[in-house]
Amino acid sequence: MKNSSSSGTTKGRNHSVKALSQRRRHPLAAFALLLMALLVTGGLYAAASTANEAQAQTTTFTANDVEEGGKLFSANCASCHGMGATGSDAAPSLVGVGAASVDFQVGTGRMPMQMDGPQAQAKPVQFTEEQISQLAAYVSSLGAGPSIPSEEITDASEGDPSKGGELFRVNCAMCHNAAAAGGALTRGKFAPSIDGTSEKHIYEAMVTGPQNMPVFNDANIAPEDKQDIIAFLKTIEEQGSPGGADLGSLGPVSEGLFIWVAGLGVIIAFTVWLTSRSS
C-alpha cells in the first residue's frame, strides 16, 4: 500500500511539474514577460520624469492667457502653422511642443521667421513679454510639453561651473565649440554662439531641442545638471578672453592660420627690405 501511495504521489508531482513546464513553454509566455517588463520600466521612467519636471518648472496660465494667445496665434502664426497649430506644408504642428518651445523660439526672435532658410535665425523680438506668455499659454493648452522653467532652477549663481564645464564638453562642445562660440554644421546649418543668451533660454533650448539640437530632457540631464551648465556658460561669458585675442574661439585652426599669415607677412617684408638694401 505504501508503494502504491508513494507511486501515486510521485506521478502527481511529475504531472504538476510537466504541466508547469508546459505553461512556461507556452508561446505567449515570453510575450507576457516582455510586456510586463515594458510596463514596469515605463512606469518607473514616467515617475522619474515627473519628479524631475516638478523640480524644474512650472509656469501657470489663466484661461484669459489661453484665449488671448489664441487670438495672437491666429493673427501671426496660423498662416504657416495652420489653424489650431496642426501644421501645414510650410511649418510643423505645434501640438505637444509645450510652452518652453514657444517661449524660446518667440523670445529669441527666431519666430516668426524673417525668411525661409536652413534654420531660423535669432533677430529682434517681435512681441512683448506678455504676448509671448500668452502665445505659450495657448500652445501649451493644445498638448502636454516642456514648461517654462522657474527662476530658481535657472539661477546661474546656484550652479557649479566646474561640473557644468564637464557636462558641456561631453554633451554640447562638439557642435557649440568648447568655448560656446558656435560652429558650422551641414547644408548651411549651424550651432549658434551661446554668448549673451539668457539663462532661461539656455534651459529651454536643452529641454526642447530647437533646430538641429537634440533634446536633453530631465531624464538625460537632470535639472540641477542643467543649472551647472548654465553656471559654466555664464562664467566663461563674464571672464571673456583673459589670454588675449580669442580669434573667434575656434582653437588651433584660427590660431594656426593667424601665425601662418603673420609669419608669411614678416618673411615677405624682410625679403623686400633685404632687396631694397642690396640695390
Side-chain angles (χ1 to χ4, degrees):
M1 293 297 290
K2 289 182 179 180
N3 290 338
S4 176
S5 176
S6 175
S7 175
T9 303
T10 302
K11 288 181 180 180
R13 289 176 180 173
N14 290 339
H15 179 74
S16 299
V17 171
K18 185 177 179 180
L20 179 61
S21 177
Q22 288 176 345
R23 285 197 294 271
R24 286 177 177 173
R25 291 199 299 268
H26 194 282
L28 295 179
F31 176 77
L33 287 173
L34 178 60
L35 180 60
M36 185 179 298
L38 288 173
L39 288 173
V40 171
T41 304
L44 292 174
Y45 177 84
S49 298
T50 303
N52 280 332
E53 187 174 351
Q55 296 175 23
Q57 1 262 18
T58 79
T59 299
T60 56
F61 300 111
T62 65
N64 183 66
D65 290 332
V66 175
E67 182 181 355
E68 293 300 318
K71 295 177 182 178
L72 287 168
F73 186 91
S74 298
N76 298 277
C77 315
S79 57
C80 291
H81 290 284
M83 296 302 295
T86 54
S88 68
D89 294 338
S93 169
L94 299 182
V95 177
V97 301
S101 181
V102 177
D103 190 71
F104 174 83
Q105 297 285 0
V106 181
T108 59
R110 287 175 168 83
M111 290 292 162
M113 287 183 69
Q114 190 172 31
M115 64 182 73
D116 289 335
Q119 68 184 58
Q121 299 189 30
K123 63 181 186 301
V125 181
Q126 305 297 305
F127 298 93
T128 65
E129 286 292 330
E130 182 182 12
Q131 290 173 326
I132 294 171
S133 179
Q134 290 169 344
L135 282 169
Y138 171 70
V139 172
S140 68
S141 72
L142 303 176
S147 303
I148 298 173
S150 64
E151 293 183 2
E152 289 77 14
I153 200 62
T154 58
D155 185 0
S157 64
E158 297 296 326
D160 182 352
S162 178
K163 183 181 177 184
E166 294 179 8
L167 290 167
F168 184 86
R169 287 187 288 273
V170 170
N171 296 282
C172 318
M174 67 285 293
C175 294
H176 286 285
N177 179 290
L185 301 176
T186 59
R187 302 188 179 186
K189 301 172 184 176
F190 62 94
S193 169
I194 308 178
D195 184 52
T197 305
S198 71
E199 291 92 335
K200 179 177 69 168
H201 289 152
I202 293 172
Y203 193 104
E204 289 171 342
M206 285 189 276
V207 296
T208 62
Q211 313 299 331
N212 304 285
M213 182 173 170
V215 174
F216 295 101
N217 59 35
D218 292 342
N220 301 130
I221 300 179
E224 295 79 9
D225 292 335
K226 289 184 176 72
Q227 188 176 42
D228 293 337
I229 292 175
I230 293 171
F232 165 72
L233 292 172
K234 290 304 170 184
T235 297
I236 62 173
E237 183 179 308
E238 293 169 2
Q239 289 178 344
S241 181
D246 57 19
L247 300 179
S249 297
L250 298 178
V253 175
S254 58
E255 293 167 2
L257 179 62
F258 174 79
I259 293 173
W260 178 259
V261 172
L264 280 178
V266 171
I267 292 172
I268 292 171
F270 184 68
T271 302
V272 171
W273 178 75
L274 284 178
T275 303
S276 64
R277 283 181 62 86
S278 61
S279 59

